[in-house]
PDB file of all heavy atoms in Angstrom:
ATOM      1  N   GLU A  53     224.528 159.668 -82.691  1.00  0.00           N
ATOM      2  CA  GLU A  53     224.665 160.013 -84.087  1.00  0.00           C
ATOM      3  C   GLU A  53     225.849 159.241 -84.678  1.00  0.00           C
ATOM      4  O   GLU A  53     226.118 159.419 -85.963  1.00  0.00           O
ATOM      5  CB  GLU A  53     224.920 161.535 -84.323  1.00  0.00           C
ATOM      6  CG  GLU A  53     223.732 162.326 -83.781  1.00  0.00           C
ATOM      7  CD  GLU A  53     223.955 163.846 -83.895  1.00  0.00           C
ATOM      8  OE1 GLU A  53     225.085 164.259 -83.714  1.00  0.00           O
ATOM      9  OE2 GLU A  53     222.952 164.573 -84.110  1.00  0.00           O
ATOM     10  N   GLY A  54     226.590 158.569 -83.935  1.00  0.00           N
ATOM     11  CA  GLY A  54     227.814 157.905 -84.439  1.00  0.00           C
ATOM     12  C   GLY A  54     228.573 157.205 -83.338  1.00  0.00           C
ATOM     13  O   GLY A  54     228.385 157.646 -82.160  1.00  0.00           O
ATOM     14  N   ARG A  55     229.418 156.292 -83.631  1.00  0.00           N
ATOM     15  CA  ARG A  55     230.129 155.547 -82.579  1.00  0.00           C
ATOM     16  C   ARG A  55     231.381 154.973 -83.166  1.00  0.00           C
ATOM     17  O   ARG A  55     231.310 154.521 -84.295  1.00  0.00           O
ATOM     18  CB  ARG A  55     229.220 154.415 -82.061  1.00  0.00           C
ATOM     19  CG  ARG A  55     229.743 153.590 -80.861  1.00  0.00           C
ATOM     20  CD  ARG A  55     228.683 152.598 -80.429  1.00  0.00           C
ATOM     21  NE  ARG A  55     227.519 153.147 -79.834  1.00  0.00           N
ATOM     22  CZ  ARG A  55     227.327 153.421 -78.526  1.00  0.00           C
ATOM     23  NH1 ARG A  55     228.296 153.108 -77.733  1.00  0.00           N
ATOM     24  NH2 ARG A  55     226.223 153.963 -78.168  1.00  0.00           N
ATOM     25  N   ALA A  56     232.464 154.983 -82.340  1.00  0.00           N
ATOM     26  CA  ALA A  56     233.709 154.389 -82.858  1.00  0.00           C
ATOM     27  C   ALA A  56     234.318 153.583 -81.841  1.00  0.00           C
ATOM     28  O   ALA A  56     234.278 153.974 -80.613  1.00  0.00           O
ATOM     29  CB  ALA A  56     234.590 155.462 -83.342  1.00  0.00           C
ATOM     30  N   SER A  57     234.888 152.369 -82.153  1.00  0.00           N
ATOM     31  CA  SER A  57     235.562 151.544 -81.197  1.00  0.00           C
ATOM     32  C   SER A  57     236.656 150.761 -81.925  1.00  0.00           C
ATOM     33  O   SER A  57     236.916 150.996 -83.111  1.00  0.00           O
ATOM     34  CB  SER A  57     234.593 150.617 -80.476  1.00  0.00           C
ATOM     35  OG  SER A  57     233.980 149.817 -81.530  1.00  0.00           O
ATOM     36  N   GLY A  58     237.304 149.886 -81.221  1.00  0.00           N
ATOM     37  CA  GLY A  58     238.399 149.122 -81.791  1.00  0.00           C
ATOM     38  C   GLY A  58     239.747 149.821 -81.730  1.00  0.00           C
ATOM     39  O   GLY A  58     239.846 151.000 -81.407  1.00  0.00           O
ATOM     40  N   ASP A  59     240.790 149.088 -82.051  1.00  0.00           N
ATOM     41  CA  ASP A  59     242.185 149.606 -81.818  1.00  0.00           C
ATOM     42  C   ASP A  59     242.458 150.898 -82.543  1.00  0.00           C
ATOM     43  O   ASP A  59     243.242 151.690 -82.120  1.00  0.00           O
ATOM     44  CB  ASP A  59     243.190 148.464 -82.170  1.00  0.00           C
ATOM     45  CG  ASP A  59     243.252 147.472 -81.119  1.00  0.00           C
ATOM     46  OD1 ASP A  59     242.676 147.639 -80.035  1.00  0.00           O
ATOM     47  OD2 ASP A  59     243.968 146.417 -81.321  1.00  0.00           O
ATOM     48  N   GLU A  60     241.875 151.110 -83.744  1.00  0.00           N
ATOM     49  CA  GLU A  60     242.180 152.299 -84.472  1.00  0.00           C
ATOM     50  C   GLU A  60     241.640 153.469 -83.752  1.00  0.00           C
ATOM     51  O   GLU A  60     242.301 154.588 -84.000  1.00  0.00           O
ATOM     52  CB  GLU A  60     241.591 152.214 -85.958  1.00  0.00           C
ATOM     53  CG  GLU A  60     242.256 151.187 -86.819  1.00  0.00           C
ATOM     54  CD  GLU A  60     241.783 151.331 -88.229  1.00  0.00           C
ATOM     55  OE1 GLU A  60     241.014 152.284 -88.526  1.00  0.00           O
ATOM     56  OE2 GLU A  60     242.090 150.462 -89.107  1.00  0.00           O
ATOM     57  N   SER A  61     240.595 153.418 -83.023  1.00  0.00           N
ATOM     58  CA  SER A  61     240.031 154.506 -82.403  1.00  0.00           C
ATOM     59  C   SER A  61     240.322 154.515 -80.857  1.00  0.00           C
ATOM     60  O   SER A  61     240.522 155.637 -80.259  1.00  0.00           O
ATOM     61  CB  SER A  61     238.518 154.729 -82.704  1.00  0.00           C
ATOM     62  OG  SER A  61     238.265 154.831 -83.986  1.00  0.00           O
ATOM     63  N   VAL A  62     240.228 153.319 -80.278  1.00  0.00           N
ATOM     64  CA  VAL A  62     240.294 153.199 -78.808  1.00  0.00           C
ATOM     65  C   VAL A  62     241.302 152.042 -78.545  1.00  0.00           C
ATOM     66  O   VAL A  62     240.873 150.876 -78.585  1.00  0.00           O
ATOM     67  CB  VAL A  62     239.019 152.971 -78.179  1.00  0.00           C
ATOM     68  CG1 VAL A  62     239.121 152.953 -76.633  1.00  0.00           C
ATOM     69  CG2 VAL A  62     237.953 154.046 -78.515  1.00  0.00           C
ATOM     70  N   LYS A  63     242.523 152.250 -78.332  1.00  0.00           N
ATOM     71  CA  LYS A  63     243.516 151.248 -78.080  1.00  0.00           C
ATOM     72  C   LYS A  63     243.748 151.155 -76.557  1.00  0.00           C
ATOM     73  O   LYS A  63     243.905 152.073 -75.878  1.00  0.00           O
ATOM     74  CB  LYS A  63     244.914 151.587 -78.716  1.00  0.00           C
ATOM     75  CG  LYS A  63     245.946 150.485 -78.523  1.00  0.00           C
ATOM     76  CD  LYS A  63     247.186 150.826 -79.241  1.00  0.00           C
ATOM     77  CE  LYS A  63     248.318 149.771 -79.025  1.00  0.00           C
ATOM     78  NZ  LYS A  63     247.906 148.412 -79.264  1.00  0.00           N
ATOM     79  N   LEU A  64     243.619 149.918 -76.128  1.00  0.00           N
ATOM     80  CA  LEU A  64     243.560 149.651 -74.714  1.00  0.00           C
ATOM     81  C   LEU A  64     244.811 148.860 -74.263  1.00  0.00           C
ATOM     82  O   LEU A  64     245.175 147.842 -74.843  1.00  0.00           O
ATOM     83  CB  LEU A  64     242.314 148.813 -74.251  1.00  0.00           C
ATOM     84  CG  LEU A  64     240.979 149.454 -74.686  1.00  0.00           C
ATOM     85  CD1 LEU A  64     239.825 148.554 -74.360  1.00  0.00           C
ATOM     86  CD2 LEU A  64     240.712 150.809 -74.055  1.00  0.00           C
ATOM     87  N   GLN A  65     245.468 149.248 -73.122  1.00  0.00           N
ATOM     88  CA  GLN A  65     246.501 148.514 -72.558  1.00  0.00           C
ATOM     89  C   GLN A  65     246.310 148.512 -70.994  1.00  0.00           C
ATOM     90  O   GLN A  65     245.707 149.385 -70.510  1.00  0.00           O
ATOM     91  CB  GLN A  65     247.825 149.122 -72.898  1.00  0.00           C
ATOM     92  CG  GLN A  65     248.247 149.036 -74.387  1.00  0.00           C
ATOM     93  CD  GLN A  65     249.563 149.794 -74.688  1.00  0.00           C
ATOM     94  OE1 GLN A  65     249.728 150.953 -74.471  1.00  0.00           O
ATOM     95  NE2 GLN A  65     250.500 148.960 -75.129  1.00  0.00           N
ATOM     96  N   VAL A  66     246.793 147.433 -70.368  1.00  0.00           N
ATOM     97  CA  VAL A  66     246.567 147.312 -68.953  1.00  0.00           C
ATOM     98  C   VAL A  66     247.841 147.002 -68.181  1.00  0.00           C
ATOM     99  O   VAL A  66     248.756 146.289 -68.683  1.00  0.00           O
ATOM    100  CB  VAL A  66     245.546 146.229 -68.834  1.00  0.00           C
ATOM    101  CG1 VAL A  66     246.019 144.870 -69.246  1.00  0.00           C
ATOM    102  CG2 VAL A  66     245.081 146.217 -67.314  1.00  0.00           C
ATOM    103  N   TYR A  67     247.857 147.499 -67.001  1.00  0.00           N
ATOM    104  CA  TYR A  67     248.855 147.041 -65.913  1.00  0.00           C
ATOM    105  C   TYR A  67     248.030 146.632 -64.694  1.00  0.00           C
ATOM    106  O   TYR A  67     247.191 147.386 -64.261  1.00  0.00           O
ATOM    107  CB  TYR A  67     249.829 148.221 -65.567  1.00  0.00           C
ATOM    108  CG  TYR A  67     250.505 147.892 -64.181  1.00  0.00           C
ATOM    109  CD1 TYR A  67     251.393 146.819 -64.101  1.00  0.00           C
ATOM    110  CD2 TYR A  67     250.323 148.703 -63.130  1.00  0.00           C
ATOM    111  CE1 TYR A  67     251.966 146.560 -62.860  1.00  0.00           C
ATOM    112  CE2 TYR A  67     250.908 148.443 -61.923  1.00  0.00           C
ATOM    113  CZ  TYR A  67     251.765 147.325 -61.797  1.00  0.00           C
ATOM    114  OH  TYR A  67     252.413 147.067 -60.562  1.00  0.00           O
ATOM    115  N   SER A  68     248.268 145.372 -64.224  1.00  0.00           N
ATOM    116  CA  SER A  68     247.506 144.906 -63.127  1.00  0.00           C
ATOM    117  C   SER A  68     248.412 144.767 -61.937  1.00  0.00           C
ATOM    118  O   SER A  68     249.254 143.771 -61.885  1.00  0.00           O
ATOM    119  CB  SER A  68     246.936 143.505 -63.460  1.00  0.00           C
ATOM    120  OG  SER A  68     246.034 143.639 -64.561  1.00  0.00           O
ATOM    121  N   PRO A  69     248.276 145.631 -60.930  1.00  0.00           N
ATOM    122  CA  PRO A  69     249.193 145.519 -59.739  1.00  0.00           C
ATOM    123  C   PRO A  69     248.831 144.172 -58.969  1.00  0.00           C
ATOM    124  O   PRO A  69     247.763 143.710 -58.972  1.00  0.00           O
ATOM    125  CB  PRO A  69     248.784 146.706 -58.871  1.00  0.00           C
ATOM    126  CG  PRO A  69     248.137 147.629 -59.882  1.00  0.00           C
ATOM    127  CD  PRO A  69     247.421 146.810 -60.896  1.00  0.00           C
ATOM    128  N   PRO A  70     249.935 143.664 -58.342  1.00  0.00           N
ATOM    129  CA  PRO A  70     249.797 142.408 -57.608  1.00  0.00           C
ATOM    130  C   PRO A  70     249.156 142.583 -56.248  1.00  0.00           C
ATOM    131  O   PRO A  70     249.222 143.666 -55.696  1.00  0.00           O
ATOM    132  CB  PRO A  70     251.256 141.877 -57.533  1.00  0.00           C
ATOM    133  CG  PRO A  70     252.020 143.084 -57.477  1.00  0.00           C
ATOM    134  CD  PRO A  70     251.351 144.124 -58.386  1.00  0.00           C
ATOM    135  N   ASN A  71     248.579 141.437 -55.787  1.00  0.00           N
ATOM    136  CA  ASN A  71     248.215 141.333 -54.332  1.00  0.00           C
ATOM    137  C   ASN A  71     247.266 142.375 -53.851  1.00  0.00           C
ATOM    138  O   ASN A  71     247.325 142.837 -52.769  1.00  0.00           O
ATOM    139  CB  ASN A  71     249.468 141.250 -53.479  1.00  0.00           C
ATOM    140  CG  ASN A  71     250.389 140.239 -53.893  1.00  0.00           C
ATOM    141  OD1 ASN A  71     250.023 139.070 -54.227  1.00  0.00           O
ATOM    142  ND2 ASN A  71     251.733 140.489 -53.844  1.00  0.00           N
ATOM    143  N   GLN A  72     246.338 142.793 -54.687  1.00  0.00           N
ATOM    144  CA  GLN A  72     245.264 143.708 -54.323  1.00  0.00           C
ATOM    145  C   GLN A  72     245.840 145.049 -53.872  1.00  0.00           C
ATOM    146  O   GLN A  72     245.233 145.844 -53.065  1.00  0.00           O
ATOM    147  CB  GLN A  72     244.408 143.099 -53.247  1.00  0.00           C
ATOM    148  CG  GLN A  72     243.576 141.936 -53.675  1.00  0.00           C
ATOM    149  CD  GLN A  72     242.579 141.424 -52.624  1.00  0.00           C
ATOM    150  OE1 GLN A  72     242.488 142.043 -51.577  1.00  0.00           O
ATOM    151  NE2 GLN A  72     241.845 140.413 -52.941  1.00  0.00           N
ATOM    152  N   THR A  73     247.023 145.369 -54.316  1.00  0.00           N
ATOM    153  CA  THR A  73     247.657 146.721 -53.980  1.00  0.00           C
ATOM    154  C   THR A  73     246.958 147.841 -54.716  1.00  0.00           C
ATOM    155  O   THR A  73     246.350 147.531 -55.868  1.00  0.00           O
ATOM    156  CB  THR A  73     249.135 146.735 -54.262  1.00  0.00           C
ATOM    157  OG1 THR A  73     249.390 146.355 -55.635  1.00  0.00           O
ATOM    158  CG2 THR A  73     249.868 145.735 -53.338  1.00  0.00           C
ATOM    159  N   ARG A  74     247.045 148.968 -54.269  1.00  0.00           N
ATOM    160  CA  ARG A  74     246.481 150.156 -54.896  1.00  0.00           C
ATOM    161  C   ARG A  74     247.519 151.231 -55.027  1.00  0.00           C
ATOM    162  O   ARG A  74     247.593 152.183 -54.317  1.00  0.00           O
ATOM    163  CB  ARG A  74     245.290 150.664 -53.987  1.00  0.00           C
ATOM    164  CG  ARG A  74     244.073 149.763 -53.828  1.00  0.00           C
ATOM    165  CD  ARG A  74     243.073 150.288 -52.863  1.00  0.00           C
ATOM    166  NE  ARG A  74     241.838 149.563 -52.816  1.00  0.00           N
ATOM    167  CZ  ARG A  74     241.641 148.488 -52.055  1.00  0.00           C
ATOM    168  NH1 ARG A  74     242.640 148.097 -51.266  1.00  0.00           N
ATOM    169  NH2 ARG A  74     240.551 147.835 -52.030  1.00  0.00           N
ATOM    170  N   PRO A  75     248.303 151.099 -56.091  1.00  0.00           N
ATOM    171  CA  PRO A  75     249.459 151.988 -56.291  1.00  0.00           C
ATOM    172  C   PRO A  75     248.931 153.450 -56.706  1.00  0.00           C
ATOM    173  O   PRO A  75     247.839 153.593 -57.179  1.00  0.00           O
ATOM    174  CB  PRO A  75     250.270 151.342 -57.452  1.00  0.00           C
ATOM    175  CG  PRO A  75     249.307 150.592 -58.200  1.00  0.00           C
ATOM    176  CD  PRO A  75     248.271 150.007 -57.195  1.00  0.00           C
ATOM    177  N   THR A  76     249.847 154.386 -56.494  1.00  0.00           N
ATOM    178  CA  THR A  76     249.522 155.727 -56.913  1.00  0.00           C
ATOM    179  C   THR A  76     249.602 155.844 -58.475  1.00  0.00           C
ATOM    180  O   THR A  76     250.123 154.897 -59.090  1.00  0.00           O
ATOM    181  CB  THR A  76     250.550 156.766 -56.273  1.00  0.00           C
ATOM    182  OG1 THR A  76     251.791 156.465 -56.769  1.00  0.00           O
ATOM    183  CG2 THR A  76     250.482 156.712 -54.773  1.00  0.00           C
ATOM    184  N   PHE A  77     249.202 156.966 -58.959  1.00  0.00           N
ATOM    185  CA  PHE A  77     249.258 157.145 -60.441  1.00  0.00           C
ATOM    186  C   PHE A  77     250.716 157.044 -60.858  1.00  0.00           C
ATOM    187  O   PHE A  77     251.005 156.382 -61.916  1.00  0.00           O
ATOM    188  CB  PHE A  77     248.651 158.550 -60.796  1.00  0.00           C
ATOM    189  CG  PHE A  77     248.841 158.910 -62.271  1.00  0.00           C
ATOM    190  CD1 PHE A  77     247.884 158.493 -63.174  1.00  0.00           C
ATOM    191  CD2 PHE A  77     249.986 159.618 -62.641  1.00  0.00           C
ATOM    192  CE1 PHE A  77     248.057 158.857 -64.510  1.00  0.00           C
ATOM    193  CE2 PHE A  77     250.132 159.932 -64.038  1.00  0.00           C
ATOM    194  CZ  PHE A  77     249.149 159.583 -64.914  1.00  0.00           C
ATOM    195  N   LYS A  78     251.562 157.757 -60.208  1.00  0.00           N
ATOM    196  CA  LYS A  78     253.019 157.690 -60.580  1.00  0.00           C
ATOM    197  C   LYS A  78     253.563 156.311 -60.600  1.00  0.00           C
ATOM    198  O   LYS A  78     254.303 155.878 -61.509  1.00  0.00           O
ATOM    199  CB  LYS A  78     253.781 158.681 -59.653  1.00  0.00           C
ATOM    200  CG  LYS A  78     255.194 158.807 -60.051  1.00  0.00           C
ATOM    201  CD  LYS A  78     255.945 159.824 -59.172  1.00  0.00           C
ATOM    202  CE  LYS A  78     257.443 159.996 -59.549  1.00  0.00           C
ATOM    203  NZ  LYS A  78     258.128 160.890 -58.648  1.00  0.00           N
ATOM    204  N   GLU A  79     253.337 155.563 -59.478  1.00  0.00           N
ATOM    205  CA  GLU A  79     253.844 154.184 -59.432  1.00  0.00           C
ATOM    206  C   GLU A  79     253.246 153.334 -60.513  1.00  0.00           C
ATOM    207  O   GLU A  79     253.994 152.583 -61.179  1.00  0.00           O
ATOM    208  CB  GLU A  79     253.402 153.593 -57.980  1.00  0.00           C
ATOM    209  CG  GLU A  79     254.164 154.240 -56.839  1.00  0.00           C
ATOM    210  CD  GLU A  79     253.527 153.861 -55.554  1.00  0.00           C
ATOM    211  OE1 GLU A  79     252.396 153.314 -55.536  1.00  0.00           O
ATOM    212  OE2 GLU A  79     254.129 154.045 -54.498  1.00  0.00           O
ATOM    213  N   ALA A  80     251.906 153.468 -60.786  1.00  0.00           N
ATOM    214  CA  ALA A  80     251.233 152.541 -61.698  1.00  0.00           C
ATOM    215  C   ALA A  80     251.769 152.829 -63.118  1.00  0.00           C
ATOM    216  O   ALA A  80     251.972 151.808 -63.819  1.00  0.00           O
ATOM    217  CB  ALA A  80     249.694 152.644 -61.610  1.00  0.00           C
ATOM    218  N   THR A  81     251.840 154.042 -63.484  1.00  0.00           N
ATOM    219  CA  THR A  81     252.151 154.373 -64.939  1.00  0.00           C
ATOM    220  C   THR A  81     253.634 154.126 -65.186  1.00  0.00           C
ATOM    221  O   THR A  81     254.022 154.226 -66.373  1.00  0.00           O
ATOM    222  CB  THR A  81     251.736 155.876 -65.186  1.00  0.00           C
ATOM    223  OG1 THR A  81     252.331 156.729 -64.227  1.00  0.00           O
ATOM    224  CG2 THR A  81     250.264 156.006 -65.240  1.00  0.00           C
ATOM    225  N   SER A  82     254.427 153.872 -64.197  1.00  0.00           N
ATOM    226  CA  SER A  82     255.818 153.562 -64.448  1.00  0.00           C
ATOM    227  C   SER A  82     256.073 152.167 -64.917  1.00  0.00           C
ATOM    228  O   SER A  82     257.155 151.806 -65.318  1.00  0.00           O
ATOM    229  CB  SER A  82     256.629 153.844 -63.218  1.00  0.00           C
ATOM    230  OG  SER A  82     256.292 152.971 -62.192  1.00  0.00           O
TER     231      SER A  82
END
Side-chain angles (χ1 to χ4, degrees):
E53 299 175 328
R55 187 179 292 269
S57 60
D59 284 354
E60 288 190 9
S61 298
V62 184
K63 182 173 176 57
L64 306 176
Q65 294 178 299
V66 63
Y67 162 64
S68 298
N71 303 321
Q72 297 187 0
T73 54
R74 296 174 172 87
T76 64
F77 175 87
K78 185 176 181 180
E79 293 168 342
T81 55
S82 67

